[in-house]
Amino acid sequence: MSAIAYLNFDGITEQVIDFYSEALNAIEVKKAKFGDIPQDPNYPLPENELNMIMESSIAFTGGKIMLSDILPSMKAVTGELVTGNNMLISLVIDDKQKLEEYFNRLSLGGNVIMPLSQTPWSSCFGMLVDQFGVNWKFNSDADLFLDNIISSKQ
């Protein structure tokens, strides 16, 4: 079992998939649109929603993320999409060159909060908000830091 970050967007998921796939050198990209599944004739989706992404995943070296669109016709149930800082994707990768590659690509069109640098808790750490408002944290050795803290308490 694994926990996977799942991101919702407001009709732009196809664009996000293209960007993340390139930025993260995707190994595998899977996607299904709402129009790919049989429609309930009693509750057909509006034409503009059939091309929206129902479910997708992007596998890359070090992880996987999943993405989908929130349908306009479902916002009464799901609520409006709110982009915020209540979640982020944390990439913990020992390979600093790969970490830097992902950081540089994901920062395109976004905002670097903290450039990759050595910190007291990591030999390579950085933070950014990508062009879609998603927060990312990069850490080359988060487990080592946590292990050191825990062992020093014992």
Side-chain angles (χ1 to χ4, degrees), residues 51-80:
N51 274 332
M52 290 183 163
I53 301 296
M54 180 183 150
E55 183 110 326
S56 68
S57 67
I58 300 171
F60 56 94
T61 301
K64 177 193 269 190
I65 55 176
M66 296 183 74
L67 313 92
S68 68
D69 283 312
I70 294 178
L71 293 176
S73 63
M74 291 298 294
K75 288 183 180 177
V77 176
T78 63
E80 290 290 327

Side-chain angles (χ1 to χ4, degrees), residues 34-106:
F34 286 95
D36 293 337
I37 61 170
Q39 299 296 303
D40 182 338
N42 298 315
Y43 304 100
L45 288 176
E47 191 66 34
N48 65 319
E49 294 182 353
L50 294 175
N51 274 332
M52 290 183 163
I53 301 296
M54 180 183 150
E55 183 110 326
S56 68
S57 67
I58 300 171
F60 56 94
T61 301
K64 177 193 269 190
I65 55 176
M66 296 183 74
L67 313 92
S68 68
D69 283 312
I70 294 178
L71 293 176
S73 63
M74 291 298 294
K75 288 183 180 177
V77 176
T78 63
E80 290 290 327
L81 178 75
V82 177
T83 302
N85 62 0
N86 62 326
M87 66 82 61
L88 58 81
I89 298 174
S90 179
L91 292 182
V92 179
I93 303 172
D94 291 335
D95 182 342
K96 292 177 186 163
Q97 184 175 349
K98 181 61 72 179
L99 199 69
E100 185 175 348
E101 181 183 317
Y102 289 166
F103 185 92
N104 290 338
R105 289 180 177 178
L106 288 166

